[in-house]
Amino acid sequence: MIPNGYLLFEDESLLDSTVAKMNALRKSGQFCDVRLQVCGHELMAHRAVLACCSPYLFEIFNSDIEPHGVSHVTFDDLDPEAVEILLNYAYTAQLKADKELVKDVYTAAKRLKMERVKQICGNYLLSKMESHSAISFRNFSSCMGDGRMLSKIDIYIQEHLLEVSEQEDFFKLPRLKLEVMLEDSLSLPSNGKLYSKVLNWVQRRLWENGDQLDRLMEEVQTLYYSADHKLLDGALIIEEHGMFGVGAEEDHMQLVQKKPPRENSNTKRQPSSSTSGSSSPSGLASNTPKPCRREWKYIASEKTTNNTYLCLAVLDGVLCVIFLHGRNSPQSSPSATPCLMKSLSFEAQSEELEEHPLTSMHYARSGLGTATLHGRLIAAGGYNREECLRTVECYDPKEDLWTFTAPMRTARARFQMAVLMGQLYVMGGSNGHSDELSCGETYDPHTDTWAQVAELRTNRCNAGVCSLNNKLFVVGGSDPCGQKGLKNCDAFDPVTKTWNNCAPLNIKRHQAAVCELDGFMYVIGGAESWNCLNTVERYNPENNTWTLIAPMNVARRGAGVAVYNGKLLVVGGFDGSHALRCVEVYDPVRNTWRMLGSMTVARSNAGVAALGDVICAVGGFDGNNFLNTLEVYDPETDEWSDCAEALSSSV
């Protein structure tokens, strides 16, 4: 077309052809005038192209003393693959990155000020966020200073706090435990107002008293909610009225007599009537602005029991969990997570029709170790929303009574327990802070003592443990390097006290159920990364081989397993979306699985063991609450029951 005598032609293929040729020239190093040194890798490119896409590089090129020479730009903190992805994007307008690299691409895009790419990567991460990744995504967004992502992640956490609180990342966050005394006529304010007061109290302790946040987290902090609705230090009030805590089991939050607030050695406290009388921890004068404060933010909270709250907040830039318990009487002590009991439909039911629930454990426990020893059920360790536990409880079915035995040497959760040569063995797990464990210990029931055993070769939690042929086997699990699912299998000889490698699993697994049956070891379900598995493997110690057998009907991780009458019963667990009630049984003769009667409540990461003629399921997490309840399965009736009558006739 020739309007007004001028030739006008649009070649739609030229742009694509030119872009493709320029990218080919880049990859072959032709006509390149930029060398990017990225962690020892050299990437060639063209200055004009990168200057158009990256304002950061434009500023560098624009300031070059010799603009016509070859520019050298060094990055010692970026991923070379991520930078290569950005170079491809600059030449082709196509962003292609494996999901494992998206965070690295985001980081590189932020450094190069490529805002569009950063936004696209952020949107992708938000679309993939689930309860197990919310905390890590938030930590990443905080490091990147991305307020848009943080606000969206915080909204997600507010809507899914209970699910998030059951994940490993949440479990490893630092935690501040508060005990708030109330006058009889007072009650705690609503969540938002309550935690605004808590944040103000922590700020006063840090900025006015010179405390350090990690020191505040070392023990339970006792506070007092006054009649004029202020949250005050409880130490002086306790001292004035002589209120002393009653020593309870160490895993309980308990009221203790606190020392008065520590004075900073470089600071003198000024009278409170002064306008700005308290000096900062750095010793600045009262008229000097306070030092730069990092982020303080209330994110989400949940009332977990009658007067107990769980909160996720940012304190002085640190993402923390806050546990708060309010009580009216200093003599009372917060109980373990209460069990939700079924109420009777009619209060006027006759006594002979009343059913008495099985006695609950003293502590709610998830990710606990469970076994039967000398006709009793042992429940060790585990965690709740507060912390990992050392305590060990023993259940006598004849008395329907839980009692304490000697506590473990190390607080641990996400582990399994096995009986070997008349003793209990526990290996690995997590300590509730930041570490997977390599240590193990064994319990001697005759002396009621725990002793250390040879450590694992690698730190592991969520591994399966069982005894086979007078050896202790540890299978799968996850490690500190972030591998969610290992193939490792190790055997411990209690006589030589040494570990030896066995053949690896066919499939990487963590949170699998493991047990021995008829001279074979079975590894059931679990997860590879976060994808729940229904596959099952059987280990033959005679030829050191693993064989895949019939898969379960339901994919599940965090399930429990017990042996009964030559068959495997797999109980509960988590299917990736919900905690499970369902149960299925494996017949090794037919190599088949079939469903059985479901539990009375859903349980993931519960303890499961055979006791007499019944199967017991204890503790776990139902999707909302950590449990301390016990229920039993009767194979004769194919029913689960939480009533004492169901157990008394079977043991």
Side-chain angles (χ1 to χ4, degrees):
M1 183 176 181
I2 310 176
N4 301 323
Y6 291 96
L7 173 64
L8 177 62
F9 171 68
E10 294 182 6
D11 189 346
E12 296 179 356
S13 65
L14 178 62
L15 183 60
D16 292 338
S17 173
T18 301
V19 166
K21 289 178 180 178
M22 288 185 66
N23 200 31
L25 290 172
R26 175 185 72 85
K27 292 183 178 180
S28 64
Q30 291 180 278
F31 310 122
C32 292
D33 53 3
V34 177
R35 297 177 185 270
L36 303 181
Q37 300 288 338
V38 186
C39 291
H41 293 72
E42 184 175 80
L43 304 176
M44 304 292 290
H46 303 94
R47 189 196 325 243
V49 176
L50 299 191
C52 292
C53 296
S54 167
Y56 176 83
L57 292 176
F58 176 87
E59 294 170 6
I60 291 178
F61 300 152
N62 200 40
S63 62
D64 276 355
I65 299 175
E66 299 179 3
H68 301 295
V70 177
S71 296
H72 294 265
V73 185
T74 301
F75 299 101
D76 293 327
D77 54 352
L78 298 182
D79 186 280
E81 288 187 69
V83 176
E84 174 65 25
I85 289 169
L86 291 181
L87 293 182
N88 273 319
Y89 169 79
Y91 281 81
T92 66
Q94 292 184 342
L95 190 65
K96 297 180 180 179
D98 292 338
K99 59 183 180 180
E100 293 81 8
L101 280 172
V102 174
K103 285 185 178 180
D104 293 321
V105 174
Y106 179 107
T107 303
K110 175 181 171 62
R111 180 72 173 275
L112 299 179
K113 298 183 179 180
M114 300 172 69
E115 293 300 322
R116 178 62 175 161
V117 175
K118 193 179 79 168
Q119 182 179 4
I120 294 300
C121 290
N123 290 342
Y124 176 87
L125 292 172
L126 290 172
S127 71
K128 299 299 180 182
M129 183 171 59
E130 296 178 355
S131 58
H132 66 80
S133 58
I135 296 298
S136 64
F137 278 17
R138 193 188 193 285
N139 289 336
F140 174 77
S141 301
S142 180
C143 290
M144 294 294 104
D146 192 326
R148 183 185 70 92
M149 280 188 68
L150 281 174
S151 63
K152 292 182 179 296
I153 293 171
D154 288 348
I155 291 173
Y156 178 91
I157 292 174
Q158 290 167 9
E159 296 173 350
H160 301 85
L161 181 59
L162 290 178
E163 292 93 334
V164 171
S165 70
E166 211 262 331
Q167 307 304 319
E168 284 188 61
D169 286 342
F170 185 94
F171 185 49
K172 295 177 179 180
L173 291 175
R175 42 184 67 98
L176 175 66
K177 289 179 277 189
L178 306 176
E179 186 109 342
V180 180
M181 294 184 294
L182 303 167
E183 293 185 6
D184 291 337
S185 59
L186 292 179
S187 59
L188 290 172
S190 60
N191 286 0
K193 292 182 179 179
L194 173 61
Y195 284 100
S196 175
K197 296 178 184 294
V198 170
L199 264 62
N200 288 337
W201 174 82
V202 177
Q203 288 172 343
R204 291 198 305 271
R205 290 295 297 263
L206 267 58
W207 297 338
E208 297 180 8
N209 293 9
D211 286 327
Q212 295 179 344
L213 186 58
D214 56 351
R215 291 291 298 272
L216 290 180
M217 294 180 177
E218 290 178 356
E219 56 185 352
V220 179
Q221 302 296 320
T222 306
L223 309 181
Y224 178 74
Y225 188 54
S226 64
D228 56 354
H229 306 293
K230 293 182 179 179
L231 204 56
L232 307 172
D233 284 315
L236 299 179
I237 297 169
I238 294 172
E239 193 173 67
E240 178 180 351
H241 295 282
M243 302 174 185
F244 290 85
V246 179
E249 290 296 326
E250 63 185 289
D251 293 306
H252 264 312
M253 285 173 54
Q254 53 184 310
L255 178 60
V256 294
Q257 185 180 19
K258 299 291 301 302
K259 298 178 181 179
R262 293 179 290 111
E263 297 284 343
N264 187 292
S265 58
N266 300 323
T267 307
K268 293 184 179 180
R269 296 290 301 275
Q270 302 296 327
S272 59
S273 59
S274 174
T275 303
S276 53
S278 56
S279 300
S280 71
S282 59
L284 298 176
S286 60
N287 59 352
T288 303
K290 288 182 178 178
C292 178
R293 303 170 187 174
R294 290 180 291 177
E295 183 184 13
W296 292 82
K297 182 178 182 181
Y298 158 80
I299 297 175
S301 63
E302 189 74 31
K303 191 172 183 178
T304 57
T305 60
N306 184 39
N307 220 14
T308 303
Y309 295 82
L310 162 71
C311 173
L312 189 64
V314 182
L315 306 178
D316 200 23
V318 179
L319 186 62
C320 302
V321 181
I322 302 174
F323 298 101
L324 187 149
H325 178 83
R327 70 179 187 207
N328 296 97
S329 170
Q331 281 74 36
S332 65
S333 181
S335 61
T337 304
C339 113
L340 300 176
M341 306 303 296
K342 295 181 178 179
S343 60
L344 294 175
S345 301
F346 302 96
E347 294 182 0
Q349 287 188 8
S350 60
E351 291 186 5
E352 57 269 24
L353 294 179
E354 259 185 52
E355 294 180 331
H356 301 283
L358 289 163
T359 302
S360 298
M361 292 186 292
H362 295 85
Y363 294 101
R365 303 172 187 267
S366 183
L368 67 157
T370 311
T372 52
L373 187 64
H374 303 319
R376 299 189 176 189
L377 179 67
I378 309 296
Y383 64 95
N384 49 39
R385 284 196 178 91
E386 296 174 13
E387 57 195 329
C388 276
L389 306 173
R390 290 178 55 216
T391 53
V392 180
E393 300 188 47
C394 175
Y395 179 73
D396 185 343
K398 295 181 180 178
E399 302 292 333
D400 184 30
L401 180 66
W402 289 94
T403 56
F404 286 103
T405 65
M408 293 185 294
R409 299 161 62 96
T410 302
R412 69 180 78 218
R414 299 184 185 276
F415 69 100
Q416 294 181 15
M417 183 162 61
V419 178
L420 177 62
M421 297 183 178
Q423 296 193 344
L424 297 175
Y425 280 80
V426 300
M427 293 302 308
S430 173
N431 64 7
H433 299 293
S434 59
D435 299 324
E436 282 75 25
L437 302 173
S438 62
C439 62
E441 47 192 303
T442 180
Y443 174 77
D444 185 341
H446 301 293
T447 60
D448 190 30
T449 56
W450 290 86
Q452 190 170 350
V453 298
E455 292 193 353
L456 289 163
R457 297 177 179 180
T458 58
N459 297 38
R460 286 151 82 178
C461 72
N462 287 320
V465 176
C466 86
S467 60
L468 175 66
N469 293 348
N470 291 326
K471 293 183 180 179
L472 186 75
F473 287 80
V474 179
V475 188
S478 54
D479 67 11
C481 298
Q483 293 191 60
K484 302 295 182 184
L486 302 172
K487 290 186 176 181
N488 304 43
C489 178
D490 300 293
F492 176 72
D493 187 330
V495 177
T496 62
K497 302 186 185 307
T498 56
W499 288 94
N500 293 294
N501 291 332
C502 303
L505 292 163
N506 291 292
I507 300 172
K508 296 178 180 180
R509 301 173 190 267
H510 69 115
Q511 293 193 58
V514 179
C515 73
E516 180 272 341
L517 174 62
D518 295 334
F520 296 95
M521 177 168 54
Y522 291 80
V523 177
I524 305 161
E528 183 178 8
S529 185
W530 292 104
N531 299 318
C532 293
L533 302 171
N534 68 344
T535 54
V536 182
E537 302 186 42
R538 180 172 60 198
Y539 176 73
N540 185 344
E542 296 297 325
N543 55 18
N544 190 32
T545 58
W546 289 93
T547 305
L548 286 165
I549 61 174
M552 292 185 291
N553 296 290
V554 179
R556 58 182 93 204
R557 60 179 170 90
V561 62
V563 175
Y564 182 83
N565 197 24
K567 298 178 181 179
L568 300 178
L569 273 72
V570 177
V571 179
F574 186 78
D575 66 0
S577 300
H578 305 92
L580 301 173
R581 295 175 55 228
C582 60
V583 179
E584 47 190 308
V585 61
Y586 175 72
D587 186 338
V589 176
R590 295 185 173 89
N591 190 30
T592 56
W593 291 87
R594 65 182 177 88
M595 304 305 293
L596 297 178
S598 295
M599 292 184 289
T600 62
V601 296
R603 298 177 189 265
S604 66
N605 293 311
V608 176
L611 187 60
D613 293 330
V614 298
I615 305 298
C616 296
V618 62
F621 182 72
D622 69 1
N624 291 305
N625 298 296
F626 289 87
L627 305 174
N628 60 353
T629 55
L630 169 69
E631 60 181 296
V632 297
Y633 173 74
D634 185 347
E636 296 296 325
T637 62
D638 190 29
E639 291 181 347
W640 289 84
S641 173
D642 58 3
C643 299
E645 291 75 13
L647 184 59
S648 60
S649 60
S650 303
V651 294

